[in-house]
Amino acid sequence: MTPLKSLLLALALLGALATSLLATSPAAAVTQKGKANGNAATGRQLFAETCGPCHSATSKTTNVGPGLQGLFKGRKMPATNRPVSVAVVKAQIQKGGGGMPAFGSKYTAQQLDDLIAYLRTL
């Protein structure tokens, strides 16, 4: 990843954190099979700011990273071919792999739930 892309991702993460602290709407909460609630609307904003520079939400076409349209409707993760599940997607976000950088603890547990809630709508 180029230094410019790393800087853009870091700035997007900071913006996402500020946005998530300011914007929460219980009306958009989604329950994830016994998991904590996630807010898909907040997750959409987070995706646009931090994931959108590399991933498309509206296609499966690869940009920098694979397009994520229908992610939870498929059997395998793009690029890594691991089975799709909430746990695997969260691990992919946190640990990276398959060309994706690790985001580790850059997301709070709530932000991860919000992001997963949004990804489940794609």
Side-chain angles (χ1 to χ4, degrees):
M1 181 177 290
T2 66
L4 178 58
K5 286 182 183 176
S6 295
L7 177 61
L8 288 174
L9 282 174
L11 290 173
L13 286 171
L14 288 173
L17 179 58
T19 300
S20 71
L21 292 173
L22 296 174
T24 56
S25 170
V30 175
T31 301
Q32 301 169 11
K33 296 182 183 178
K35 302 288 182 186
N37 287 339
N39 183 308
T42 302
R44 182 179 183 173
Q45 284 182 301
L46 184 60
F47 182 92
E49 294 166 359
T50 62
C51 308
C54 296
H55 298 281
S56 172
T58 59
S59 80
K60 293 183 179 184
T61 303
T62 298
N63 295 328
V64 174
L68 300 178
Q69 181 184 36
L71 176 66
F72 277 94
K73 294 176 183 140
R75 290 186 189 184
K76 299 197 179 220
M77 299 279 289
T80 65
N81 289 320
R82 295 180 359 201
V84 174
S85 71
V86 170
V88 169
V89 173
K90 281 185 179 183
Q92 181 71 31
I93 294 167
Q94 292 175 314
K95 298 177 184 176
M100 180 173 163
F103 284 85
S105 61
K106 293 182 182 179
Y107 294 113
T108 65
Q110 185 61 55
Q111 286 176 312
L112 276 172
D113 286 342
D114 294 344
L115 191 53
I116 295 296
Y118 173 66
L119 291 172
R120 291 174 67 95
T121 70
L122 301 180

